[in-house]
Amino acid sequence: MISPYCDMATAGKTKLEHIEIEKTKLNGLQKELLLELKEKESMVEERLKICPEVFGKVSIDWDGQITGCCSDYDRSMIIGDIKRDSLNNIFHGVKIKKYREILRKREFEKIPHCSRCFDLMGLQSKK
């Protein structure tokens, strides 16, 4: 019953953070257990050794724009346009090379999209 609420949710929050436990139809013991789990949760930022996105793949949007990250929904990391250049040229181009160098050095904060990447955050209890 509890396990579906203990995984990651979007925007770096756990699903327990979104539940008003007091307002649920759970019995007292179940509410107590959820409150205890909610109290023990914490978000811990854990970066990968190196981001795999720009080193092995790119994402092509519906209009041909190519971005360096598959979760770049705001299109802030556009590296080329498939209608104007070959995929090979874009994949080995100047723009993506800049991203690779920054990420190789683990300077995530230099790329706004990467500095707030939710894929690099893990859920960990305080214990």
Side-chain angles (χ1 to χ4, degrees):
M1 176 173 167
I2 292 172
S3 60
Y5 299 105
C6 296
D7 62 345
M8 288 293 292
T10 58
K13 292 190 175 191
T14 64
K15 290 185 180 181
L16 286 177
E17 288 183 46
H18 299 285
I19 297 172
E20 293 183 53
I21 296 171
E22 311 77 40
K23 293 182 179 179
T24 64
K25 294 181 180 181
L26 300 172
N27 67 38
L29 186 60
Q30 291 169 328
K31 285 181 185 181
E32 212 173 290
L33 183 56
L34 277 179
L35 286 168
E36 185 180 331
L37 285 172
K38 189 174 183 176
E39 184 180 310
K40 289 179 181 178
E41 285 184 331
S42 67
M43 291 303 299
V44 176
E45 184 174 311
E46 193 174 304
R47 298 260 180 212
L48 300 171
K49 287 184 181 179
I50 196 158
C51 176
E53 290 295 315
V54 297
F55 293 94
K57 60 184 176 177
V58 293
S59 294
I60 303 175
D61 286 348
W62 65 273
D63 61 352
Q65 295 288 303
I66 299 179
T67 181
C69 177
C70 66
S71 67
D72 182 19
Y73 308 119
D74 294 330
R75 297 162 51 118
S76 63
M77 292 180 67
I78 298 295
I79 57 170
D81 186 336
I82 197 70
K83 296 177 294 191
R84 296 194 175 123
D85 205 350
S86 74
L87 185 56
N88 186 57
N89 285 345
I90 294 167
F91 190 75
H92 297 288
V94 175
K95 288 182 181 181
I96 198 167
K97 282 182 181 178
K98 277 201 249 178
Y99 288 131
R100 288 177 181 144
E101 186 59 31
I102 291 168
L103 294 174
R104 191 175 283 119
K105 293 178 185 175
R106 297 181 46 83
E107 296 174 338
F108 302 102
E109 68 284 349
K110 288 188 175 181
I111 304 171
H113 177 72
C114 299
S115 69
R116 59 183 186 273
C117 178
F118 298 127
D119 290 341
L120 302 179
M121 298 177 100
L123 174 66
Q124 179 176 339
S125 80
K126 293 178 184 176
K127 293 184 179 183

